[in-house]
């Protein structure tokens, strides 16, 4: 641990060059780059503060309801995320009063600056974020550190087992670990985490993505009775398969509209060019282009609108699964009554898809040809698509409750902070 910390200090002078490269690649926010080095972009509010860290989009969305409950209990919440996309999602979906910063790099100068400024009373990390310097510095300051929605794959557990001493030092510093499953709990205990409580997966309790009723009504009126399907969270290589699927299905389903939502909206221009080369008429949402009668593809290269598109489509292919990117969660689709199709590469969402596939709430498509077949079959049989959506809703109903269990488990850590927040409010002048 001392070696890792020292290595980080030695590497610190090179980090601005690394971050400049990420900035040029669109992976950092130029106006907020200082936050990655622990330089706060906001003032710390008075009173108790809970720091919640969620690395990326899925983790951030899963913890919004928990943040809302924490804020309602009294303390202010600081949410940190690690990607530009997750920062935009936080801005769109975080409960009122939530502060947001980019997560500091896991090197001593950055995390020291961050903690010196924010002085959190409690740290809550989501899923499997293990930052050695950050964990050590939180422990050194005697800040209770909780992991919620914790998971640890067999592969990760095996890797950590080769560093048993380091793992025990790190995982043993958590005040509480709330695991997604019994298997996750056992692996975490083996590595030194204690206590570990199984509370389930927060993503089952995540709030359905919002959409403005007027926006839904307007786009629904524009589309009319045209057949619609959605390709969501697509990655490079998948847009071409979606375009091929549209071309194959359009003769069978006159007026077909494909809604294409790339995982990274900044790729919108390149995707549009590729679709145009195939002769497809595109309406690019980031440019404010309206869907017309001749529009083949609505390219939804925007953020925070998944709730709108799921509400418009009875069928969705979830990307990152034909391209080997680990897949994306079907929970949002299921929450909004959408039948789910996915490819074979769903390692990051394996538990979800095992449950969904088992009862017919989702269907595995092995390649582009199978995607055409599956979308065509569901379009030709809306009753089958509706049955898949009902099965997905049933899974959500059966697995809800993790939010209540997680909040109950962390409530003893929140109670003194809530009391301090109440005292502070009582002292404020009328």
């Amino acid at each position: 641990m001392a070696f890792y910390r020292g290595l980080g200090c030695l590497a610190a002078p090179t980090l601005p060059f690394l971050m400049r490269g990420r900035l040029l690649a669109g992976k950092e926010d130029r106006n907020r780059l200082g936050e990655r080095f622990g330089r706060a972009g906001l003032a710390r509010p008075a009173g108790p503060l809970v720091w919640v860290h969620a690395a990326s989009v899925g983790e951030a969305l899963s913890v919004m309801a928990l943040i809302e409950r924490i804020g309602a209990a009294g303390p202010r919440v600081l949410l940190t995320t690690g990607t530009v996309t997750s920062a935009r999602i936080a801005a769109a979906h975080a409960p009122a009063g939530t502060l947001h910063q980019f997560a500091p790099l896991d090197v001593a100068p950055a995390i020291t600056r961050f903690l010196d400024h924010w002085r959190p009373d409690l740290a809550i990390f989501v899923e499997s974020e293990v930052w050695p310097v950050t964990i050590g510095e939180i422990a050194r300051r005697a800040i209770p550190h909780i992991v919620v929605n914790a998971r640890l794959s067999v592969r990760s557990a095996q890797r950590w087992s080769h560093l048993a001493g380091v793992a025990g030092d790190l995982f043993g510093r958590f005040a509480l670990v709330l695991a997604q499953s019994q298997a996750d709990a056992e692996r975490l205990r083996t590595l030194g985490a204690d206590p570990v409580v199984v509370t389930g997966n927060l993503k089952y309790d995540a709030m359905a993505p919002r959409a403005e009723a007027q926006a839904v009504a307007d786009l629904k009126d524009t589309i009319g009775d045209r057949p619609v399907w959605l390709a969501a969270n697509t990655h490079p290589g998948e847009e071409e398969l979606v375009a091929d699927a549209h071309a194959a299905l359009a003769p069978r389903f006159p007026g077909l509209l494909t809604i294409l939502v790339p995982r990274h909206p900044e790729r919108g221009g390149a995707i549009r060019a590729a679709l145009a080369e195939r002769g497809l008429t595109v309406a690019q949402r980031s440019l404010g282009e309206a869907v017309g009668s001749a529009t083949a593809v609505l390219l939804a290269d925007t953020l925070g609108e998944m709730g709108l598109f799921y509400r418009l489509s009875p069928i969705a292919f979830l990307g990152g699964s034909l391209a080997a990117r680990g897949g994306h969660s079907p929970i949002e689709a299921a929450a909004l009554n959408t039948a789910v199709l996915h490819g074979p590469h769903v390692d990051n969402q394996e538990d979800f898809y095992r449950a969904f596939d088992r009862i017919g709430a989702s269907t595995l498509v092995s390649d582009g040809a199978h995607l055409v077949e599956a979308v065509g079959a569901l379009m030709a049989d809306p009753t089958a698509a509706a049955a898949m959506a009902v099965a997905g809703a049933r899974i959500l109903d059966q697995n809800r409750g993790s939010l209540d269990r997680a909040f109950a488990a962390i409530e003893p850590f929140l109670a003194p902070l809530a009391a301090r927040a109440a005292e502070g409010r009582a002292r404020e002048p009328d």
Side-chain angles (χ1 to χ4, degrees):
M1 289 297 296
F3 174 77
Y4 179 93
R5 184 183 180 92
L7 192 64
C9 289
L10 289 173
T14 71
L15 293 177
F17 300 98
L18 171 66
M19 299 306 285
R20 191 170 297 128
R22 288 179 55 82
L23 186 63
L24 292 173
K27 296 181 178 180
E28 299 291 340
D29 184 330
R30 181 181 301 277
N31 297 321
R32 299 177 63 181
L33 199 57
E35 294 172 24
R36 301 289 270 149
F37 295 92
R39 299 184 180 95
L42 299 170
R44 187 203 189 280
L49 181 73
V50 176
W51 172 23
V52 177
H53 173 68
S56 58
V57 172
E59 290 86 352
L61 289 172
S62 74
V63 82
M64 290 301 176
L66 183 61
I67 288 174
E68 190 169 54
R69 290 203 184 184
I70 293 170
R76 293 292 299 274
V77 176
L78 168 68
L79 171 64
T80 60
T81 58
T83 66
V84 172
T85 304
S86 58
R88 293 172 182 163
I89 291 295
H93 296 282
T98 304
L99 306 169
H100 177 268
Q101 296 280 272
F102 280 100
L105 298 168
D106 190 40
V107 293
I111 189 61
T112 298
R113 275 190 215 103
F114 176 89
L115 292 174
D116 284 348
H117 176 82
W118 290 105
R119 305 184 313 280
D121 299 280
L122 174 64
I124 299 176
F125 280 28
V126 184
E127 293 203 8
S128 54
E129 286 288 284
V130 180
W131 294 354
V133 173
T134 300
I135 292 170
E137 190 63 21
I138 290 172
R140 190 181 72 79
R141 297 177 185 229
I143 302 167
H145 191 174
I146 298 172
V147 184
V148 301
N149 225 37
R151 62 186 178 93
L152 190 69
S153 68
V154 172
R155 185 181 302 174
S156 293
Q158 289 172 342
R159 285 200 298 265
W160 277 110
S161 69
H162 298 303
L163 297 167
V166 174
D169 187 35
L170 286 172
F171 288 85
R173 297 190 187 202
F174 296 130
L176 175 65
V177 176
L178 305 182
Q180 292 185 16
S181 71
Q182 191 62 48
D184 290 312
E186 290 303 323
R187 289 190 283 268
L188 288 159
R189 289 190 189 104
T190 299
L191 294 177
D194 182 52
V196 182
V197 179
V198 178
T199 52
N201 195 326
L202 283 173
K203 290 180 179 178
Y204 282 114
D205 285 298
M207 297 178 287
R210 305 184 187 100
E212 293 183 6
Q214 191 59 53
V216 175
D218 289 346
L219 195 49
K220 189 174 289 187
D221 287 344
T222 298
I223 295 171
D225 59 359
R226 297 175 63 179
V228 180
W229 73 294
L230 168 67
N233 292 316
T234 59
H235 290 259
E238 292 177 327
E239 289 90 9
E240 293 82 355
L241 297 176
V242 171
D244 290 343
H246 178 94
L249 291 166
R252 291 175 53 194
F253 302 97
L256 177 66
L257 178 67
T258 296
I259 302 176
L260 175 58
V261 186
R263 177 65 171 180
H264 299 107
E266 62 271 16
R267 296 179 52 239
I271 295 170
R272 183 200 182 108
L275 295 173
E277 283 183 6
R278 293 169 178 261
L280 296 174
T281 303
V282 178
Q284 191 169 349
R285 191 160 177 84
S286 66
L287 300 180
E289 296 175 346
V291 174
S293 59
T295 301
V297 178
L298 169 57
L299 176 56
D301 55 338
T302 54
L303 282 169
E305 291 195 300
M306 285 307 307
L308 170 61
F309 304 124
Y310 278 130
R311 284 174 170 86
L312 294 170
S313 177
I315 305 161
F317 162 70
L318 298 189
S321 59
L322 284 173
R325 298 302 181 93
H328 295 288
S329 168
I331 299 301
E332 289 185 347
L336 292 172
N337 304 309
T338 304
V340 172
L341 306 175
H342 66 90
H345 303 291
V346 290
D347 302 21
N348 294 342
Q349 312 293 336
E350 186 176 359
D351 290 344
F352 286 135
Y353 283 111
R354 186 184 300 115
F356 272 64
D357 287 349
R358 185 171 58 245
I359 69 166
S362 60
T363 296
L364 167 65
V365 295
S366 56
D367 54 25
H370 195 186
L371 176 64
V372 173
E373 178 185 337
V375 174
L378 292 174
M379 282 191 167
D381 187 359
T383 301
M388 288 179 67
V390 168
R394 188 183 312 128
I395 290 177
L396 299 193
D397 288 340
Q398 292 170 348
N399 287 278
R400 285 194 174 103
S402 59
L403 176 61
D404 290 338
R405 292 187 290 271
F407 187 77
I410 67 174
E411 202 279 333
F413 296 87
L414 289 173
L417 306 185
R420 280 175 46 201
E423 290 172 5
R425 289 193 297 271
R427 288 195 296 267
E428 292 176 358
D430 293 335

